Amino acid sequence: QVQLVESGGGLVQPGGSLRLSCTASGSIFRLFRMGWFRQAPGNQRELVAAITSGGMTNYADSAKGRFTISRDNAKNTVFLQMNSLKPEDTAVYWCNAFRYDLGSGAIDYWGQGTQVTVSS
């Protein structure tokens, strides 16, 4: 079992920055693909950014050039640096840990979510 604890959300003005952090329990953090998802009211949950165990990253088009995902395996932590924030970035952001195990199949964990509000 892996527990994910997010922090760093809050209220920021348009154009501002926030850094989200997600710390995982357990010793096999490095094996997981880590991702940040978000859901705004009335919208479906969407992938914002992900980073594989090997450090490869991918981003939603809306995040490219503004957001950066990174991970520190020594600290069991994944980060999402968000710059040039826009009101449409307002959402609840969730941390996700995913891996595929040949015996168990897909293994998926979620954090509790953190609110990001971009408003003047």
Side-chain angles (χ1 to χ4, degrees):
Q1 190 78 6
V2 173
Q3 291 186 324
L4 304 175
V5 179
E6 298 126 334
S7 61
L11 173 64
V12 64
Q13 292 187 340
S17 298
L18 282 175
R19 187 171 86 151
L20 305 182
S21 300
C22 172
T23 300
S25 63
S27 60
I28 57 172
F29 170 83
R30 69 188 187 283
L31 300 180
F32 284 84
R33 185 204 76 175
M34 301 300 298
W36 287 97
F37 288 73
R38 70 184 181 188
Q39 185 172 19
N43 291 353
Q44 291 186 332
R45 187 178 297 192
E46 62 176 356
L47 175 68
V48 177
I51 184 167
T52 68
S53 58
M56 294 182 63
T57 59
N58 67 285
Y59 297 90
D61 287 343
S62 59
K64 288 178 181 176
R66 299 187 300 126
F67 294 2
T68 302
I69 188 170
S70 61
R71 66 190 296 162
D72 184 338
N73 288 339
K75 296 182 178 180
N76 281 11
T77 301
V78 62
F79 304 97
L80 184 67
Q81 177 67 45
M82 304 187 292
N83 299 328
S84 303
L85 283 161
K86 306 175 182 179
E88 51 264 43
D89 294 317
T90 296
V92 176
Y93 285 70
W94 282 276
C95 176
N96 170 261
F98 174 86
R99 72 182 183 100
Y100 189 83
D101 182 86
L102 290 177
S104 305
I107 301 173
D108 212 10
Y109 299 102
W110 294 89
Q112 80 283 2
T114 185
Q115 177 70 46
V116 171
T117 302
V118 184
S119 175
S120 55

